[in-house]
Amino acid sequence: MSKMSSLLGFFVGLVLVGVVASSKFEELYQPAWALDHFIHDGELIKLKLDNYSGAGFGSKSKYMFGKVSIQLKLVEGDSAGTVTAFYMSSEGPNHNEFDFEFLGNTTGEPYSVQTNVYVNGVGNREQRLDLWFDPTKDFHTYSIFWNQRQVVFLVDETPIRVHTNLEHKGIPFPKDQAMGVYSSIWNADDWATQGGRVKTDWSHAPFVATYKDFTIDACECPVGVSSSSVAPENAKRCSSSEDKKYWWDEPTMSELNVHQSHQLMWVRANHMVYDYCTDTARFPVTPAECVHHRH
């Protein structure tokens, strides 16, 4: 028992070193645009899309390494043409970005989630899957975990995508820019549903995405200074050293465990509907990271 207590104390100590952990919207985020389409309903936040505007919010701070999560209930009914996004991004033309994009569909058709990873301003790394539940009926948790070894996208703690650090193969990895956390809803009927063939039916507006339980457990970085000038300092202060330990740098966080690996294989085998790595029309030469990724 004493050993367990000491281990627990050690873990709690790790979590508390230099991280932000919260679940209140107003402590972490602020509305970003279209305030009249932003609804604060008790513990719930709602973003509304109609034929005048969408809406969005963003974090007050930027972060480097850790985990961000939201609980989200997507637009019900006929949501064709709409996109609800949850993502992290740095600033500038050479930005890094991790995207969840939820692509609406006609009533009765499955909702698709598209993920993408930008490194130094270059994206085109789309993967798309159909979720194994109806995301419009209840809240589900969507998370992004990020450290110097990997980026992991999770749905209800099940990993659906891993982007591994392959710098030893000469492939850039997003580890030097602090990122803000954002979400938005907008009309994307030029591409979102069946490649743009199904348009938004505005008679169903307003389209509403509902959020709760906002959690950021990550290393907070200063805002208002150019990212290039403070990148080395941020990377250093957000990494473990002899006098401080961060939970995301623990050896167990450097790769998926066996159970998570099996979960990811199950997702890919049963729910993946598009993977840029296998799109030979777009990429006649297989992208380098696809050659070396184990997943």
Side-chain angles (χ1 to χ4, degrees):
M1 188 69 177
S2 60
K3 183 176 181 182
M4 180 62 73
S5 298
S6 62
L7 285 173
L8 180 61
F10 177 65
F11 179 73
V12 171
L14 289 179
V15 172
L16 292 178
V17 175
V19 304
V20 175
S22 179
S23 59
K24 290 189 178 299
F25 177 86
E26 58 273 12
E27 293 177 3
L28 298 174
Y29 295 97
Q30 57 194 6
W33 48 285
L35 297 186
D36 58 340
H37 286 57
F38 178 94
I39 304 163
H40 209 140
D41 180 11
E43 294 298 309
L44 303 179
I45 299 296
K46 297 180 179 182
L47 297 185
K48 183 173 70 172
L49 167 68
D50 56 27
N51 55 354
Y52 296 101
S53 179
F57 60 81
S59 61
K60 296 178 179 180
S61 298
K62 296 186 185 301
Y63 304 91
M64 183 174 285
F65 310 137
K67 185 178 182 182
V68 301
S69 300
I70 56 165
Q71 287 196 22
L72 170 61
K73 183 162 65 173
L74 291 167
V75 177
E76 294 189 57
D78 185 346
S79 57
T82 71
V83 172
T84 305
F86 171 55
Y87 62 103
M88 299 186 70
S89 182
S90 57
E91 298 175 354
N94 298 317
H95 74 292
N96 298 330
E97 185 174 333
F98 311 141
D99 295 337
F100 274 106
E101 292 179 314
F102 302 94
L103 312 181
N105 222 325
T106 51
T107 303
E109 294 295 316
Y111 237 100
S112 295
V113 56
Q114 177 170 285
T115 58
N116 202 354
V117 176
Y118 285 75
V119 185
N120 297 333
V122 179
N124 298 323
R125 296 180 175 91
E126 298 91 349
Q127 291 183 356
R128 191 177 296 184
L129 55 89
D130 290 337
L131 293 166
W132 51 95
F133 52 83
D134 184 343
T136 72
K137 298 303 182 187
D138 205 352
F139 289 92
H140 291 268
T141 302
Y142 303 94
S143 307
I144 300 169
F145 168 74
W146 171 38
N147 65 10
Q148 298 187 68
R149 300 291 298 276
Q150 60 179 352
V151 181
V152 185
F153 296 79
L154 304 111
V155 176
D156 292 332
E157 294 303 312
T158 295
I160 64 165
R161 179 173 185 169
V162 176
H163 186 82
T164 308
N165 186 334
L166 296 171
E167 287 180 308
H168 63 287
K169 299 288 188 181
I171 299 167
F173 183 78
K175 66 171 192 178
D176 60 350
Q177 299 181 39
M179 296 187 182
V181 189
Y182 306 93
S183 190
S184 57
I185 185 171
W186 77 93
N187 177 42
D189 66 3
D190 56 331
W191 66 271
T193 306
Q194 296 182 29
R197 289 188 293 275
V198 180
K199 301 300 183 181
T200 303
D201 183 348
W202 293 110
S203 71
H204 294 294
F207 303 99
V208 178
T210 307
Y211 303 77
K212 68 176 184 176
D213 292 349
F214 306 82
T215 305
I216 296 179
D217 190 353
C219 186
E220 187 174 2
C221 297
V223 174
V225 186
S226 67
S227 59
S228 59
S229 65
V230 298
E233 178 186 333
N234 282 338
K236 184 177 180 180
R237 68 192 293 274
C238 294
S239 302
S240 295
S241 62
E242 288 186 5
D243 58 346
K244 66 179 188 298
K245 300 291 183 184
Y246 291 117
W247 66 270
W248 54 81
D249 280 336
E250 290 302 287
T252 54
M253 307 305 293
S254 63
E255 60 183 4
L256 299 186
N257 61 36
V258 173
H259 176 62
Q260 291 172 322
S261 295
H262 288 162
Q263 287 179 311
L264 179 61
M265 287 188 285
W266 175 81
V267 168
R268 292 182 63 88
N270 293 284
H271 296 281
M272 182 79 73
V273 295
Y274 176 82
D275 183 1
Y276 78 105
C277 287
T278 60
D279 189 340
T280 54
R282 286 180 67 198
F283 304 102
V285 177
T286 303
E289 69 268 18
C290 300
V291 174
H292 299 292
H293 264 135
R294 290 183 300 143
H295 299 294

